Amino acid sequence: MAVHEVLRLHITSERFIVEPRGGDTTELLIIDRVTQEITLQGNQGQIPASAITKSIYGILGIIRLVAGAYLIVITKREKVGEVKGHTIWRVADTEIHSYKRTTTHLTEQQNSLNKTYLSLVENMLRTEFFYFSPTYDISHSLQRLHNTSPEFQSLALHERADQRFVWNGHVLRELTQQPELSRYCLPVILGFIEVSSCQINGKSFDYTLISRRCIYRAGTRFNVRGVDSEGQVANFVETEQIVQYNGHCCSFVQTRGSIPLFWSQRADLKRIPNPVLIKANHLSGFQKHFDNQIYNYGYQVIVNLVNQKGYEKELETMYGQTVSSAKNANIRYEAFDFHKECKNMRFDRLSLLLDRLEGDIKRFGYFHQNRDGFVVSQQCGVFRTNCMDCLDRTNVVQGLIGREVLKDQLTNKTAGINSSHDSTYQTNCKDVTGKRTALGGLMDGWNSLVRYIRNNFQDGIRQDAIDLFLGNHVVEETEGLTSRSPLAVQRDWKYYAIPVILMIASAMLIITILLPDEQTSEQLMYIFFWGAAAIISLATLFWFGTVFVDQPRLLNDKIKIE
C-alpha cells in the first residue's frame, strides 16, 4: 500500500529520472521529456554524471499547459505528527519542471497565456494546507477504514483513497493509469491537520484534528455557493477528531457545507452581497445531497445557524420547507439563529443549542477501538452544520459539539483518563473551542477586512487556480493559436475610467480643503465640485460593483445563473 517516501529526481536534457531511496528496490521511474512516455526500468546506470539531482518526497503530479506538460514534485515537508504509528506530513515546498527545454515554439500570445496559467498553478501550490502520508490513508476516517474488506486494505494508496478528498487526483492521472507505478502515486489532501500531545491527571494522550476539504464544487467564498444538479455542495468539509491513549483510539466525525439549495451570492463590492435563490427544483438537489450524506455517515442532524430575519431569512425559510417536503426519516432539522441568540457576545447561550442536541450526541456515539483492536462502539450519525459561509458560526458550534464528545471519550470507563464528567478538569491540551475576548473581537474585525479584500479583489484568481488544478478547466495546447482562451477576456472600460476619476476627484478635494484660498466662495465652489465628483464616481463604482470585482475566468459552474 505504501508509496516511496524519499526519492531523488535526476534531471537531464532528455529525461526526468526518479530514483527511490532506501528499501530494497533498484528500479527507476523514467519520464521521457520528448515522447512523454513513462516507464519503470531497472537501475543499470542510466543516470549520467551530468544530471541535476534533487531530493524530493513525492510526485504531486503532471499538469498540461499551453507550453506542454509540467512535472510537479514535493521538495520540502514538515512533520505534523503521528496517527496510529504513521507519520503525517505537510507539504512545505514544491517545484514545477517543464518537459520542454524552451518556449520558442510558442507565439507571443501563447507564451503570455502559458505564463498566466503557470502563475495560477504556483498560486495553488503556495497554499500551506496540503497534507500526505506515504504509509497511511488520511483521506478516510478511522471508522471507514475499519469497516473495509481485506481486499480493500491491499489496494494501492491512491486506489483506496476517498476521491472526494484527493486534491491531486487530476494531476496524478497520468501515473495512476499505469498500475505498476502505484508506489509513485501519492494522494494529497487539502484541509487542516494538527496533532497535539496532551496530559490530564498525569496521563498522556494525543488529540488529532483532521479537516478534509472536498474537491467537488470547491471554490472561493462568493464564486461558488449552494448545491449543483448532482447534489454536490460548495466547500464541503469532513472534520474528524481523534483521541489516542494507552493503545485506545477514538474518532468522531462532523461535516459542514453550503446550504444545499440552488442559490448564488455574487461579489459586488458590498461588504455582504445579497444572496439570491435560483428558480430551480431545490428538492431534487437537496435529496441527492442527503442521499449521499446518509450513505456515507448515517442519520443526519442539520444544524442551520443562519439568521431568521434580514437577507438570510429567505434561505433559512426555503431550507426548512425543503426538509419538510423531503419527508426523510433519516434527517432532523435544527434551526438556531446564532446572531440573535448570542448577540452582545452572549456565547453562553449556545448551551440552549447544546441542550437540543444532547440526545443526538449521545445517540450518535463515536468510534472506539480498544488496545486489543476490538471495536467497542461506532458512530451512527453525523451533525451537518452550516451558516452562510461555513466559517465562524460553524466553527464555534462544531467546536462545542466536539468538546462534548471529547469529554465523554476522556471519561470513558475503558480509558480512565478522567474520573468524572466534571468539565473543570485541568489539562495542558489546547482549548478545542476557543474563547471570545476583546482581542478576539478586534481580530474578527481584521479578518472581516482581509476577507473583504480577498472576496472582491483576489478571489477570481484563487478560483481560477482551484479550477485549473482540479481539472475543472483543461488547457488545450492550441489556446491562443487556433482557439480563444478564457483568459483573454477584455476588461470593461468602466474598470479603468471610474477608479481613475474617483482618485483624481478625491485628491483634488483633499488639496482644495488643505490649501487655503483668499476667495472663500471660490474655494467652497471647488470643494463642492470635487466633492460631488468623488461622491458620484464612488456611487457609480458600487452601482457597477460586479465590473470591478476580480471575476474568475475559468469557472464553469453547473448551475447557470441568468
Side-chain angles (χ1 to χ4, degrees):
M1 180 193 78
V3 301
H4 294 299
E5 184 167 353
V6 180
L7 311 101
R8 283 183 181 170
L9 172 64
H10 306 279
I11 303 174
T12 73
S13 60
E14 297 180 348
R15 295 174 172 179
F16 296 126
I17 303 174
V18 181
E19 176 190 15
R21 303 297 296 171
D24 56 0
T25 183
T26 58
E27 68 186 17
L28 298 175
L29 173 67
I30 298 181
I31 302 175
D32 192 300
R33 297 175 66 178
V34 179
T35 67
Q36 303 185 21
E37 183 181 10
I38 306 174
T39 58
L40 274 184
Q41 299 179 13
N43 191 343
Q44 299 176 350
Q46 297 96 318
I47 305 172
S50 59
I52 299 173
T53 300
K54 299 173 176 287
S55 292
I56 63 173
Y57 301 99
I59 299 174
L60 206 57
I62 298 166
I63 193 166
R64 295 184 175 275
L65 306 178
V66 179
Y70 288 79
L71 178 67
I72 309 172
V73 295
I74 300 170
T75 56
K76 291 182 182 179
R77 62 181 183 177
E78 292 182 356
K79 183 176 179 179
V80 176
E82 294 185 359
V83 174
K84 302 197 76 171
H86 297 271
T87 302
I88 311 298
W89 303 91
R90 185 183 71 82
V91 176
D93 202 2
T94 58
E95 286 184 0
I96 307 174
H97 297 279
S98 175
Y99 281 35
K100 304 288 187 181
R101 291 186 290 275
T102 69
T103 58
T104 55
H105 62 291
L106 301 179
T107 65
E108 183 178 349
Q109 182 181 11
Q110 282 185 302
N111 197 40
S112 176
L113 288 173
N114 191 72
K115 288 180 180 178
T116 302
Y117 277 121
L118 193 58
S119 69
L120 292 176
V121 177
E122 292 169 343
N123 182 295
M124 191 67 201
L125 295 176
R126 279 195 295 270
T127 178
E128 300 178 0
F129 304 109
F130 281 121
Y131 300 89
F132 67 94
S133 173
T135 60
Y136 183 70
D137 184 357
I138 59 174
S139 70
H140 287 286
S141 67
L142 294 184
Q143 180 164 309
R144 280 203 301 269
L145 287 176
H146 173 78
N147 292 331
T148 55
S149 64
E151 291 77 14
F152 176 87
Q153 298 286 345
S154 65
L155 292 174
L157 200 59
H158 75 90
E159 292 177 320
R160 54 180 279 169
D162 190 330
Q163 297 305 310
R164 294 180 300 163
F165 306 120
V166 179
W167 273 70
N168 63 330
H170 169 67
V171 296
L172 208 57
R173 73 194 187 287
E174 293 190 36
L175 297 175
T176 58
Q177 289 172 356
Q178 298 180 229
E180 69 274 15
L181 305 182
S182 61
R183 296 199 66 191
Y184 297 87
C185 298
L186 177 66
V188 173
I189 74 167
L190 177 66
F192 178 78
I193 302 180
E194 183 176 45
V195 181
S196 300
S197 296
C198 310
Q199 193 175 73
I200 295 177
N201 297 335
K203 298 177 182 178
S204 299
F205 67 97
D206 286 337
Y207 177 82
T208 302
L209 193 67
I210 303 178
S211 285
R212 307 173 177 98
R213 187 175 177 184
C214 185
I215 66 170
Y216 304 124
R217 206 159 171 73
T220 53
R221 186 182 184 193
F222 292 135
N223 287 310
V224 183
R225 289 295 213 193
V227 71
D228 65 17
S229 56
E230 297 176 2
Q232 303 293 346
V233 296
N235 298 315
F236 179 82
V237 177
E238 173 189 281
T239 299
E240 178 182 20
Q241 65 179 45
I242 300 171
V243 178
Q244 300 174 91
Y245 48 86
N246 195 26
H248 294 266
C249 201
C250 292
S251 162
F252 180 71
V253 170
Q254 300 183 65
T255 64
R256 66 172 74 188
S258 188
I259 297 174
L261 304 174
F262 297 109
W263 62 287
S264 68
Q265 192 177 16
R266 296 293 177 84
D268 58 3
L269 293 185
K270 297 184 181 72
R271 188 179 70 86
I272 301 293
N274 288 327
V276 177
L277 272 171
I278 301 168
K279 291 183 179 180
N281 185 354
H282 296 289
L283 184 59
S284 173
F286 174 92
Q287 288 177 325
K288 288 180 180 179
H289 173 68
F290 277 100
D291 284 347
N292 185 54
Q293 278 284 100
I294 293 167
Y295 174 81
N296 283 313
Y297 304 103
Y299 191 90
Q300 301 285 304
V301 171
I302 300 170
V303 183
N304 184 15
L305 304 174
V306 303
N307 298 342
Q308 296 175 18
K309 63 179 181 180
Y311 68 90
E312 298 182 5
K313 176 180 173 57
E314 186 179 18
L315 281 173
E316 192 280 327
T317 301
M318 180 59 74
Y319 200 1
Q321 291 175 353
T322 306
V323 174
S324 298
S325 299
K327 298 178 181 178
N328 193 321
N330 292 309
I331 298 174
R332 187 174 82 79
Y333 181 72
E334 187 66 63
F336 184 82
D337 191 329
F338 187 101
H339 287 151
K340 176 185 176 182
E341 297 291 346
C342 301
K343 64 181 179 180
N344 299 323
M345 300 179 71
R346 286 291 308 278
F347 293 102
D348 58 294
R349 292 181 57 81
L350 285 169
S351 61
L352 299 174
L353 176 60
L354 285 180
D355 289 343
R356 299 181 202 171
L357 302 179
E358 182 179 4
D360 298 303
I361 293 174
K362 292 179 179 178
R363 181 161 57 94
F364 288 170
Y366 51 87
F367 178 78
H368 179 189
Q369 188 174 33
N370 67 18
R371 70 184 72 178
D372 299 321
F374 177 76
V375 174
V376 178
S377 64
Q378 296 204 43
Q379 184 176 343
C380 65
V382 74
F383 294 97
R384 190 222 185 263
T385 308
N386 72 270
C387 46
M388 288 296 288
D389 304 312
C390 299
L391 290 173
D392 301 330
R393 288 173 277 182
T394 298
N395 286 342
V396 171
V397 171
Q398 283 199 334
L400 288 174
I401 294 173
R403 185 180 180 89
E404 290 301 304
V405 175
L406 177 62
K407 289 195 303 187
D408 190 47
Q409 291 170 338
L410 297 181
T411 55
N412 186 291
K413 291 181 180 179
T414 308
I417 289 182
N418 199 49
S419 58
S420 72
H421 286 267
D422 181 8
S423 62
T424 61
Y425 56 74
Q426 297 298 313
T427 172
N428 67 353
C429 185
K430 289 184 178 179
D431 190 328
V432 297
T433 58
K435 296 180 180 179
R436 179 72 170 185
T437 63
L439 179 59
L442 291 175
M443 288 303 300
D444 285 347
W446 172 254
N447 289 337
S448 295
L449 176 61
V450 170
R451 285 177 190 166
Y452 178 83
I453 294 172
R454 285 180 177 174
N455 298 159
N456 289 284
F457 307 114
Q458 297 176 353
D459 276 358
I461 292 174
R462 293 172 61 211
Q463 183 68 54
D464 286 339
I466 291 171
D467 285 319
L468 178 62
F469 192 76
L470 291 180
N472 298 332
H473 174 80
V474 177
V475 179
E476 300 291 339
E477 293 189 25
T478 57
E479 274 192 28
L481 186 64
T482 62
S483 63
R484 181 175 173 82
S485 172
L487 294 181
V489 176
Q490 297 296 317
R491 293 284 192 182
D492 187 288
W493 66 270
K494 294 187 290 294
Y495 181 82
Y496 303 99
I498 295 177
V500 170
I501 293 173
L502 175 61
M503 287 188 290
I504 292 174
S506 299
M508 291 303 296
L509 176 63
I510 294 172
I511 291 172
T512 303
I513 293 173
L514 294 180
L515 294 181
D517 195 310
E518 294 181 358
Q519 302 296 325
T520 305
S521 59
E522 185 175 340
Q523 184 177 16
L524 288 175
M525 182 183 68
Y526 280 123
I527 290 175
F528 175 79
F529 175 80
W530 291 116
I535 292 172
I536 292 172
S537 57
L538 183 63
T540 305
L541 195 71
F542 279 90
W543 181 263
F544 295 99
T546 55
V547 172
F548 305 98
V549 168
D550 180 32
Q551 300 284 3
R553 292 170 287 180
L554 306 183
L555 180 63
N556 184 21
D557 201 344
K558 294 179 182 178
I559 305 302
K560 299 299 182 183
I561 304 166
E562 298 297 335

